[in-house]
Each structure stands twice: as structure tokens, then as C-alpha cells.
Amino acid sequence: MNLSYLTRFPERLVAPLYATLPTTATTSGNRPENFAIEGRNLKFSFTTRQTQDVPVLKDCSIRIPCGQFWMLLGPNGCGKSTLLKILAGLLTPTSGTVYVNGPKSFVFQNPDHQVVMPTVDSDVAFGLGKINLAHDEVRSRVSRALHAVGLSDYMKRSVQTLSGGQKQRVAIAGALAEACKVLLLDELTTFLDEADQVGVIKAVRNSVDTSAEVTALWVTHRLEELEYADGAIYMEDGKVVMHGDAASIRSFIEARQSAYITQINS
Amino acid sequence: MTTVLRPPIGLRFLQPPQLSPSPTSCVSFSLSLKLPRINSNYSSFEVRDVTYQPPGTQLRLLNSVSFSLPEKSFGLIFGQSGSGKTTLLQLLAGISKPTSGSIYIQEYESDGNPSQPPEPLVPERVGIVFQFPERYFVADNVLDEVTFGWPRQKGNHHLRENLALGLQRAINWVGLSGISLNKNPHSLSGGYKRRLALAIQLVQTPDLLILDEPLAGLDWKARADVVKLLKHLKKELTVLVVSHDLRLFQFTLLVFVYLAF
């Protein structure tokens, strides 16, 4: 089952208080340079019980080209998941502008929040009920989506017998069946064993490769996953520190990691 | 009970894994040490032929699991998702009871023979830290969080003194002495939240500390901090960890338990 209906709010454009990017004249709905995801000068803060403003995002700007698989990394508390939820429309930024190709879908870390039907194929088809599709079209979409995530042989399987990673792949298939253009995936591999980790990340990689129109943004702590990425973004303290080449970002983090481990063990 | 600290010793492979033909049962083997002879008694946490089938179900979650965990050693439980690792931890912590088999503490003479009848492992001697323990913080500051489990009634002077000493020791063990006790737990970094969760269990001075995925969801810096901390803790008490992150624990491993379908 795909929860994309939660994310189908009209995209709210909030005028930035201080524009730092030049405004480009474009016709409505069109976008230059073919980006599937764009956030400009995003800020977000929440208020504590003591009526204190805590900034989480401080002027973040990102761009993800259409048809690519990018990863978002950074220390705990740097704002990665907050940024992802703003892109998904689950949170409203304090200021800044968001453009995300629709339909978009957010895949949660706990698959039991999304996989609710008794069998694999019925769960993938669940979200299609609100569209008036012929029966053959539904079957065709379900079949194609399950093939993309490598679960064709599990079509009639009870979801209770699936591993956590397999359930996540079912959730991703549900998004694909609805012709989702943007996948937003929040630390899916945190609780998975190695086989499941590879299964899920390859499912996303294959989904992006199979369709020129699918773009994915994946939050993670695992540096080894960067080898599957087309590009990456590194955040710290609510800011985008690096944006672009995945290998450079991996080297940057690994160098700091080595230095830190040496420091604390000396 | 006199004990001697033992340095890590290379692993001995005692027996190969035995896979059960039934797809829903688990088997285990353990790599355990032959401990060197020493001039004092020592004890070990023993799990013998533990099987667990939740009441009202037909599915066995664990099937004849056995291993030994010498005191003040570090044990790692590894296995695929769904192989029963968390279930095993819950049995050890006393949250559930085995369907059959036993979990006990055995004390040995220096010659390796049992010196006393086996003593059942009781929940009061076990501390358990669940996955993402920071999701269950209840207090507004660090001090209240750590002392939440303390007795509510006023004890005598001796009891209060012991509690205060235990608190100070736990704080020092986990490296929280640089943090203000008035700080809100939710404002701590990821690694420090795990330290706080450990301190909450350590003030109870458990003999066995059980950790379910202590590195999950942590960034690289917090992981390094927690790994170093666990390396230090195993000098003080017995630690048993469920983790998928084998590499990070390799250097400190004494007992390895593999649960398989």
C-alpha cells in the first residue's frame, strides 16, 4: 500500500524573504534543466515547550536531476529527515520554495506502517483503487512494479511471511504502480540485515534505471550505499555542506571518520 | 566473589553450525573459550537447550539454543532478520519465559568443575537496552531520567549513599560526566542519548548488560563513541549485543552466537 495520498497537497510556494538565487522566467509547470526535485533557501524551525525556537534547517538549497538516484547524508540531528519530509509535503517550511515532480511518494522506515493488505499483489494494487482502471491495467501495473523491485515470484505470498526488507520493497512497488515520479526514502536499511539491505537498495536502483521518469532521494548513514548513487548531498547543522559527486562526499566523510576514531582512541 | 580480569583470547571453533530441516526453527552454535586456569573461582552465564514457542501459536521462534558467556566477556548475537535474536534477548532479560530449557549462572572452581549448584538468572541481575531507547525517555532532565527507577520511599542513610555512588559510577562509565545533569535528554546528540540509556541500566549495577542493535541509526561519530564505550564496559561487567554490524565489534569479540533458520 502506498500512502502517496498523504503527500498530494497542492505545492505551496512561499516567497523567500531574501532571494539568493536569480529568479528564472518559466512557463507554469515547466522547469529549466530538467530537475525532478528542487528546494531553494529552505528554513524550518520548531517551538519547544519553553516557547523557544529551535532551527532545524538553515537556508538549504538542493537540486536533483530527473531520472537519478541521489543520497542524503549527515550526522544525527543535521536535518536530513526534516528536509525529506518537507520535500514530501509532510512538513511546511518556515520559508523557502519547494518544487517536486508529482506524483511523489514517501517510504517510511517501518514497513508495517505501509504494508497492510494480506497478500503482496493486493497491497501493491491497494492504491490503485481510487483510480478507475480496467482490471487488466491493474494487473499489468502490479506485475511491472513487482518485477522492478525483484519480487515477481512473491505475488501471492502472505505479507506476514516477508522480511522487513521485502515489505519495504512491497511499499516501493506500491508507489511505482501509481506511476510515482519521485521516491523519497528515509533510512530504510537501519534495521535490516545485510542481505535485506542490498535487496532494498538494488530495488530502488533498478526502479530508477527501468524508468526514465523515476527519481529517488534516499537518506542513509551507511557509506557503502553510496556506490549505488548517482549523486549525493552532505548536511551538517541544518545546512547543505556538499552537493554533487557521491565519491567525493564518501571520501570526505571517511577522512573525518578516520581522524575522529584516531583521536578518541589515542 | 573474587574475580580476575581476563584479556581477550583468540576464538576457538568448537563445532560447525547445524541447520535444522524445518524452515521455521532455529539452531545455534557458539564459539566459546576454554578459559585459562586461574587461581580463583569464576562464573558463566549459561543458556542450555532453550526453546521458545509463544503461547497459542504453532511456530517455534527458538529451537534448542545453547551457549556460554563467561563473566566480564563480550558476546555478539548475529543472524538474519527473523531468526530470533531479539526473542532470545527477551528471554535472557526475563521478559518472557522459555518453553523448555534453562538459563542460569554457573560458578566454577579453578579446575573447571562446578563449585555450586546452578543459580537461575533473575531479571534483577540483567539490564536491557532496547533499539532506539531514546524514544522512551520520560523525564525533562538527565538526572531525573537516570534516577527514574530509584525507590520512591526514603531509605536509610546507607541506601542513599549506595545509590549516589552507583549514580556517579554509571555516569563516569558512560562518559557523561561532562554533561550537565539539568540538560534535557532530547537535546543530546545521538551518541549521548545512547550513553544516557546505558547509564539508566548501569545505575542498577546489573551483572549482565544486554543491548539490542546499539549502533542502529547512529552516524559515524556516534558509532565510534559507542563502540569505544562498550569496549570499556566489558572490563566491568558482562555485555551481550545483538548487531548486524560485525566489523565494528570484531576486535573485542569473545563469544559469537549465530542464529540460523
Side-chain angles (χ1 to χ4, degrees):
Chain A
M1 174 198 159
N2 172 42
L3 295 180
S4 68
Y5 65 87
L6 288 184
T7 70
R8 286 196 172 150
F9 308 119
E11 288 173 357
R12 270 173 282 203
L13 307 183
V14 182
L17 295 178
Y18 308 98
T20 57
L21 292 178
T23 52
T24 309
T26 60
T27 57
S28 175
N30 285 333
R31 192 170 297 123
E33 299 183 72
N34 209 23
F35 291 111
I37 300 172
E38 192 170 356
R40 295 190 191 183
N41 308 113
L42 293 171
K43 292 176 182 169
F44 182 85
S45 55
F46 65 88
T47 309
T48 65
R49 255 175 294 180
Q50 294 86 27
T51 324
Q52 191 180 356
D53 247 22
V54 179
V56 179
L57 293 183
K58 308 168 183 173
D59 197 20
C60 289
S61 297
I62 66 166
R63 283 176 169 176
I64 312 293
C66 197
Q68 293 195 4
F69 181 12
W70 279 48
M71 294 190 177
L72 181 52
L73 303 95
N76 293 113
C78 71
K80 325 185 276 302
S81 292
T82 301
L83 176 56
L84 205 75
K85 286 170 179 167
I86 286 173
L87 298 174
L90 300 176
L91 293 175
T92 304
T94 309
S95 63
T97 310
V98 175
Y99 301 93
V100 180
N101 277 353
K104 58 198 170 184
S105 183
F106 192 97
V107 182
F108 293 88
Q109 184 176 81
N110 185 347
D112 293 326
H113 290 162
Q114 287 180 275
V115 179
V116 296
M117 296 294 284
T119 59
V120 167
D121 56 347
S122 63
D123 192 87
V124 174
F126 184 88
L128 299 178
K130 59 180 177 292
I131 314 171
N132 284 323
L133 290 179
H135 185 64
D136 283 351
E137 175 67 11
V138 170
R139 288 165 59 97
S140 169
R141 288 205 190 189
V142 169
S143 180
R144 252 183 289 131
L146 285 173
H147 182 263
V149 299
L151 288 177
S152 296
D153 295 339
Y154 290 72
M155 190 166 290
K156 294 299 181 183
R157 181 79 77 88
S158 163
V159 297
Q160 287 178 28
T161 64
L162 301 183
S163 69
Q166 288 167 334
K167 288 178 184 173
Q168 280 168 349
R169 286 151 72 185
V170 171
I172 293 166
L176 297 175
E178 296 188 35
C180 159
K181 296 292 194 298
V182 169
L183 285 167
L184 302 163
L185 312 119
D186 194 10
E187 291 197 51
L188 299 197
T189 56
T190 296
F191 290 108
L192 305 184
D193 64 45
E194 191 155 341
D196 255 352
Q197 289 167 32
V198 174
V200 175
I201 196 166
K202 282 186 173 179
V204 177
R205 179 75 257 175
N206 192 54
S207 303
V208 171
D209 290 341
T210 301
S211 167
E213 291 186 325
V214 174
T215 303
L217 181 59
W218 167 285
V219 171
T220 187
H221 284 301
R222 299 182 187 274
L223 299 187
E224 60 269 23
E225 292 176 355
L226 280 164
E227 69 180 271
Y228 295 92
D230 295 311
I233 297 163
Y234 180 69
M235 293 182 65
E236 274 187 10
D237 193 31
K239 297 173 182 172
V240 172
V241 172
M242 294 178 75
H243 189 297
D245 180 55
S248 302
I249 287 174
R250 180 172 186 175
S251 299
F252 173 77
I253 299 173
E254 281 176 344
R256 297 186 50 169
Q257 188 173 7
S258 295
Y260 184 72
I261 291 174
T262 300
Q263 173 205 317
I264 66 173
N265 285 309
S266 63
Chain B
M1 179 178 73
T2 54
T3 61
V4 175
L5 293 180
R6 302 180 194 87
I9 298 175
L11 296 176
R12 301 278 188 83
F13 188 88
L14 295 185
Q15 63 183 25
Q18 299 166 19
L19 299 182
S20 166
S22 166
T24 59
S25 63
C26 306
V27 296
S28 78
F29 71 100
S30 64
L31 305 176
S32 60
L33 300 182
K34 280 199 166 181
L35 295 172
R37 296 178 64 112
I38 52 175
N39 293 326
S40 65
N41 291 1
Y42 63 95
S43 59
S44 192
F45 295 93
E46 308 275 349
V47 175
R48 287 285 171 261
D49 293 321
V50 165
T51 294
Y52 182 68
Q53 180 170 335
T57 74
Q58 294 181 349
L59 190 69
R60 280 186 186 176
L61 299 187
L62 291 174
N63 189 34
S64 294
V65 173
S66 296
F67 65 90
S68 292
L69 185 63
E71 63 175 346
K72 293 192 171 53
S73 64
F74 189 94
L76 177 65
I77 301 182
F78 177 79
Q80 285 182 319
S81 301
S83 58
K85 306 184 294 296
T86 299
T87 300
L88 178 56
L89 292 196
Q90 291 173 359
L91 295 173
L92 287 163
I95 294 170
S96 310
K97 290 186 177 180
T99 307
S100 63
S102 54
I103 301 175
Y104 56 93
I105 301 168
Q106 179 68 63
E107 189 160 341
Y108 294 94
E109 303 274 4
S110 56
D111 60 7
N113 289 322
S115 65
Q116 287 177 18
E119 179 184 347
L121 182 60
V122 295
E124 288 76 22
R125 300 185 70 171
V126 183
I128 182 166
V129 179
F130 294 101
Q131 302 178 59
F132 286 121
E134 59 268 17
R135 292 179 181 174
Y136 309 105
F137 287 159
V138 295
D140 283 343
N141 61 69
V142 167
L143 179 61
D144 286 350
E145 190 69 51
V146 176
T147 60
F148 185 82
W150 277 8
R152 291 297 124 184
Q153 79 281 1
K154 294 180 180 177
N156 57 34
H157 172 75
H158 183 64
L159 174 61
R160 289 202 303 270
E161 185 176 19
N162 279 342
L163 289 171
L165 287 173
L167 170 63
Q168 191 58 49
R169 181 187 54 201
I171 294 281
N172 287 338
W173 275 357
V174 302
L176 278 177
S177 45
I179 297 281
S180 164
L181 294 180
N182 288 328
K183 203 171 177 72
N184 188 313
H186 296 285
S187 68
L188 299 173
S189 71
Y192 274 86
K193 284 172 175 164
R194 298 297 163 88
R195 293 172 190 248
L196 177 54
L198 286 168
I200 290 164
Q201 295 306 317
L202 292 172
V203 290
Q204 318 286 343
T205 62
D207 293 317
L208 173 64
L209 180 65
I210 296 176
L211 307 171
D212 195 352
E213 293 290 0
L215 303 184
L218 295 183
D219 61 53
W220 57 266
K221 180 182 282 191
R223 281 169 176 249
D225 286 338
V226 173
V227 167
K228 186 192 179 196
L229 175 59
L230 294 179
K231 189 176 177 184
H232 169 73
L233 277 185
K234 83 177 183 67
K235 300 171 185 171
E236 307 288 348
L237 69 166
T238 312
V239 181
L240 182 61
V241 169
V242 158
S243 184
H244 290 121
D245 295 296
L246 290 184
R247 283 160 291 184
L248 289 171
F249 291 116
Q250 247 164 17
F251 57 84
T252 189
L253 192 62
L254 278 183
V255 173
F256 180 74
V257 180
Y258 178 61
L259 295 183
F261 289 108

